[in-house]
Amino acid sequence: MNNKIAISGEKIEELQNIASQNLFMHAQQINDWAGDLKIFVKGEGVWVTDVHGNKFLDSMGGLWFKGAGYGRTEIAEAMFKQACELETPPANAASITQIELAAKLAELHSDKSARSFFTSGGSESVETAVKMAKKYQINTGKSGAYKVISRRYSYHGATAMAVSLGKPLTSDTMGPEMPGTIHVQNWDSYRIPNNMNPVDYAVYCANQFEEAIKHTGPDTVAAMIAEPISAAFGIHVPPKEYWQRLREIADQYNVVLIADEVITGFGRTGKYFATDHWDIIPDITTVAKSLTSGYSPLGAAIATKKIADAFVGSENEKFNHLITFGGHPVSCAAGLKNLEIYEKEDLVSQSKNMGEYLLEKLAPLKGLSIVGDIRGLGLLVAIELVSDKANKSKIPISYEIQKKIPNYLHDRNIISFRAGDIISLCPPLSINKEEIDFLVEAISNVITTVEKEI
Ligand code: PLP
């Protein structure tokens, strides 16, 4: 698969040399990429082309965010128009695009009076939600409440509070976590204890939040946060009882319920918001990523009217929280055009239908000796590999599966950075059946190779 892209060998070498010396790549060992950095120059639909002209299917939609896919020139044009007219308003004022996007998010949200606080990305949305929850508690008379309960092995972002919520996946090497963070067990649909059915186990896992609240003191807890389906923990889809129980617990103890929909938002699971599957309304919903499909950085903490109303009043009640480029008008223009494309092409139904097709095509892989589980919702799917299906044991670390699978898939023109014991799939929602067939064939070949090597 080769596209003719005019980048000379000399230019590529120059770029590699500069990158090796001056570029600090995120979350990657410099030795692993220096001199051989993957550099891309073009994208269209689900396909991306590198400097050598090689074409790949991006099975992860960038970093879980390419809802509408690559190469949407309409989004670029909308951004250009906004930048030409007014790149930013003066302080304490808004652009038309910010207002229109807030209206669009309220229209898509179950609470039609929801209010959006715009940020520049997911971590800031989480920080904003947590601070908003704490101040909400102060404004409504529960002023000693500052603790936040989250789930182990979740991921909520890279900033100090967000990283602390994801213990121990991200925070252990970063020193002590922020005061007031409490961690409970995550939901795992694959390793349900033998003596429990999935619904009972889901309620049991949700009840860990209640146990933590009771143990630490209900008056001290401001918020609880979870991803509807945790991508970091392996894409385990809970039964509806899980989030319904979280809602009940939050109500009972007057704790703000935050749904972190940074990955699951905007159609990823076959509904605009994943919590819509379970008929519950979180108090605050954090979004980013596919809000613009990655055309420009943008996020939001979307508060229900109940939460937002607590900030209406005197100077004391205001939410004293400010992010210079939160809700940048050019990003909001990208968000509006992105969501217009979603509606025009019905990408949310497409996610549901193509997600079902993907799971159907992957199902025969369950016959392979190392395929333990295949699961997902919409176009958020995981394949879990194990060395022994009976006891669901992990593949030995010595096999270095986290490196091998992405490399083997790369050889078959698939981009897949999050593929090891768990192969995560999060392609653009515009993916079609032919492209899914191509993806599944490559995955099937790679797993068969790994099965033989192990
Ligand atoms: N929350 C979740 C669930 C995420 O997956 C991420 C990033 O992957 C974040 C928050 C942080 O978003 P960002 O990287 O845009 O700051």
Side-chain angles (χ1 to χ4, degrees), residues 93-164:
S95 69
I96 294 173
T97 53
Q98 284 170 342
I99 297 168
E100 288 181 348
L101 188 57
K104 177 50 80 182
L105 293 181
E107 183 193 316
L108 299 177
H109 198 274
S110 299
D111 179 352
K112 304 299 170 204
S113 305
R115 202 183 270 273
S116 287
F117 186 107
F118 287 114
T119 68
S120 327
S123 305
E124 283 180 6
S125 299
V126 168
E127 297 284 337
T128 299
V130 166
K131 281 176 76 175
M132 193 184 283
K134 290 181 185 178
K135 178 71 169 135
Y136 166 85
Q137 298 292 9
I138 292 168
N139 286 1
T140 56
K142 195 176 155 185
S143 56
Y146 68 97
K147 295 177 190 165
V148 184
I149 305 175
S150 62
R151 304 182 302 178
R152 277 178 220 112
Y153 308 107
S154 280
Y155 184 72
H156 294 291
T159 48
M161 184 64 187
V163 87
S164 302

Side-chain angles (χ1 to χ4, degrees), residues 5-19 35 39 51-52:
I5 296 268
I7 307 276
S8 69
E10 257 173 37
K11 179 71 185 167
I12 296 172
E13 201 182 326
E14 185 193 335
L15 290 168
Q16 289 290 356
N17 286 340
I18 297 171
I39 310 172
V51 274
H52 305 288

Side-chain angles (χ1 to χ4, degrees), residues 64 121-124 126 155-158 227 260 262-263 288-289:
W64 319 87
S123 305
E124 283 180 6
V126 168
Y155 184 72
H156 294 291
E227 316 100 310
D260 185 352
V262 166
I263 287 179
K289 299 201 187 263

